Amino acid sequence: LIRNSAAWCPYCYQEWSKQNKPIYMPLIWDIDAVEICIHHHIKLRKKCPHCKQSMDIFSANVNPGGSEHSSV
């Protein structure tokens, strides 16, 4: 259900930047089935326009909800 690599709407980022709003990744963009920005009705981007690489959301060392040294 959660995508492995980041997806984003460049128009959302551009608008937030112009309006001096915080730049963040809405959680809805992490849902694998979400392909379209609900505000701009464009397909979410999945690759950097410069290097053409995807960006992993989680590193291998992440333990959501636990401490770094947790063995759970």
Side-chain angles (χ1 to χ4, degrees):
L1 297 175
I2 303 297
R3 67 177 80 244
N4 292 324
S5 58
W8 63 92
C9 173
Y11 295 112
C12 283
Y13 284 156
Q14 187 176 44
E15 284 181 10
W16 298 335
S17 179
K18 284 182 181 179
Q19 297 170 5
N20 292 321
K21 290 184 175 182
I23 307 295
Y24 67 100
M25 293 186 77
L27 291 175
I28 194 167
W29 293 352
D30 290 340
I31 299 171
D32 197 35
V34 175
E35 296 288 331
I36 305 292
C37 173
I38 61 173
H39 301 291
H40 298 103
H41 309 287
I42 65 161
K43 191 168 182 160
L44 296 177
R45 304 291 194 264
K46 297 179 184 176
K47 294 193 179 198
C48 172
H50 303 288
C51 70
K52 309 297 185 223
Q53 297 291 316
S54 61
M55 181 176 61
D56 290 340
I57 293 178
F58 297 110
S59 77
N61 298 328
V62 171
N63 182 11
S67 69
E68 282 187 53
H69 303 291
S70 176
S71 60
V72 177

